[in-house]
Structures are given as C-alpha cells and as structure tokens.
Amino acid sequence: MTVRASLRSNERRSKHNGRSVCIMKISLDDIITRLERTRSPDRAVDFSLARVVGWKVLSVPGDGGKRKDLWIVPGSDEPDKVPKYTSSLDAAKQFADQLLPNNAVAVTFGDEIEAIAEGGERVRSRVGAVAICLAALSAYQEAMRKV
C-alpha cells in the first residue's frame, strides 16, 4: 500500500513499516505555553503531548477520498487512540511516567491545582491533568537544557 502524507512546514516524512509517516517537529516552548493558557481539557494539546512521548501519525486513505490519521503507539506498530492527557489524571500520570521515568510529580488540589516534578518549577492550573502534564513537561525541558 502506498501512503502519501501532505506535509506542513513544521512536519517531516519518515518511514514506518514501508509506509509514509508524518512526524511533526514540536516546540516544547509552544506546548508549555498552550498548557499554561488552557482552562479546560484540549484534544489538540493531547495530540501534541502524544508526539512528545513518541506517538506517530500514519496518514491513510479514508472514506470519500479524505485522508485519515492513525496514531501509532510508541514502540509498536499498532494504531490506537491517543490518551486524554489533559482531561484524565490517569492519562496525565502515564504521560509524566513516560516522559520522566523514575521521577515523581507532586500535586496539591485546591482552588487551583499546583504540581511540581523533580527538577522542575511549581506550576498551577485549573485542571489537575493539565497541571501534571505541565509540571512533567517543564521538568523535562529543564533536564534537556542541562544535557
């Protein structure tokens, strides 16, 4: 099967089992800014976070000639649904664990939720899952700066 992915300026083409896969170049600063500004769960942010932890997008022909994106699980050839990182505490914890193995994220719930990951700064959000993702991503970015 030949698969063609139309690429935007912030994407590049890669191969996955002989099929073309579209991989977006992600700016961690941009994702952090979006997380800081979000006041509710956001699927677009979930997709950006998925790319950070290794999910890939396979664009395949769909019904009526339209393209359909299949999300490929990291370390697998299997498609699946991207976790709801910004709405589910369990999915947010999964994101933090994938991004920062052997690293703890502390969360305090109140009027605003505060979270901090080892090596990162304390962050605040109105959404618990967003706070966890933001704390983990901020700590990850700080760790990458030290490398």
Side-chain angles (χ1 to χ4, degrees):
M1 166 168 70
T2 302
V3 178
R4 290 189 175 178
S6 59
L7 300 179
R8 297 179 201 102
S9 63
N10 61 344
E11 296 176 338
R12 67 180 171 85
R13 190 179 309 274
S14 181
K15 289 286 185 180
H16 177 77
N17 285 344
R19 297 177 289 185
S20 182
V21 177
C22 190
I23 301 174
M24 179 178 277
K25 297 176 189 172
I26 301 170
S27 163
L28 295 181
D29 287 331
D30 290 344
I31 299 170
I32 288 171
T33 298
R34 289 177 66 190
L35 283 167
E36 289 171 338
R37 292 180 181 165
T38 190
R39 300 289 179 245
S40 61
D42 185 329
R43 274 311 264 165
V45 175
D46 291 340
F47 297 134
S48 294
L49 294 172
R51 290 176 185 263
V52 171
V53 292
W55 286 75
K56 293 182 175 66
V57 180
L58 178 64
S59 184
V60 297
D63 295 335
K66 293 186 178 183
R67 309 293 302 167
K68 178 180 177 182
D69 290 340
L70 296 178
W71 286 85
I72 308 299
V73 177
S76 167
D77 292 333
E78 298 299 317
D80 203 352
K81 291 183 179 179
V82 169
K84 295 181 178 181
Y85 295 122
T86 58
S87 63
S88 164
L89 293 174
D90 289 335
K93 182 187 179 311
Q94 176 189 11
F95 172 78
D97 290 346
Q98 286 178 302
L99 195 62
L100 301 167
N102 305 314
N103 196 331
V105 177
V107 183
T108 304
F109 290 88
D111 291 337
E112 276 197 325
I113 295 95
E114 293 184 352
I116 187 168
E118 290 179 45
E121 296 181 16
R122 183 175 307 276
V123 299
R124 291 182 174 89
S125 178
R126 292 183 178 168
V127 181
V130 170
I132 292 169
C133 291
L134 180 56
L137 194 58
S138 296
Y140 176 78
Q141 184 181 45
E142 188 59 35
M144 292 297 99
R145 286 183 179 146
K146 293 177 181 177
V147 174

